[in-house]
Amino acid sequence: QVQLVESGGGSVQAGGSLRLSCAASGYTASTPYMAWFRQPPGKEREGVSVIKWNGSTRYADSVKGRFTIARDNAKNTLYLQMNSLKPEDTAMYYCAAALSSFLSLVPSDYNYWGQGTQVTVSS
């Protein structure tokens, strides 16, 4: 089993920045792929970015150039640096992990999920 705990959410004005963190514990060797998803109010969960253990990444078009995903394998921690935030980035942000997602941004491809951290961007 793998446990994921997100932190770093909050409220920020448009144009601001936030850095999310996700601490992983348990059998983390089974989770070479780690990702961020988000779920805006009243909408479906959507993929934001994914990173493989070797540093390969993929981003949703909506966040390219603004968000950066990173991981510290020694600390079993995943990060999401979010810059130039927009009101449409407002959502609950979730950390997820999988054995073999192959850089997928589809929620059903992930086995483990955190509880989420809220990000609110005001205009």
Side-chain angles (χ1 to χ4, degrees), residues 40-113:
K43 296 185 179 180
E44 294 186 352
R45 195 169 296 190
E46 61 184 21
V48 174
S49 184
V50 55
I51 185 168
K52 189 178 177 181
W53 65 271
N54 64 358
S56 299
T57 60
R58 180 183 178 189
Y59 294 89
D61 288 344
S62 58
V63 306
K64 280 181 182 177
R66 300 189 298 123
F67 291 11
T68 302
I69 193 170
R71 65 189 291 172
D72 185 330
N73 292 329
K75 295 182 178 179
N76 292 324
T77 303
L78 176 71
Y79 303 98
L80 185 68
Q81 178 66 45
M82 304 186 294
N83 298 329
S84 303
L85 282 161
K86 305 175 181 179
E88 50 264 44
D89 293 319
T90 294
M92 183 70 79
Y93 282 71
Y94 296 92
C95 172
L99 175 62
S100 57
S101 82
F102 301 104
L103 296 178
S104 166
L105 289 176
V106 176
S108 59
D109 288 334
Y110 289 80
N111 311 101
Y112 305 103
W113 292 86

Side-chain angles (χ1 to χ4, degrees), residues 15-38:
S17 298
L18 282 173
R19 188 194 194 203
L20 305 183
S21 298
C22 172
S25 60
Y27 189 51
T28 56
S30 66
T31 57
Y33 294 88
M34 296 190 75
W36 289 100
F37 288 82
R38 66 185 181 186

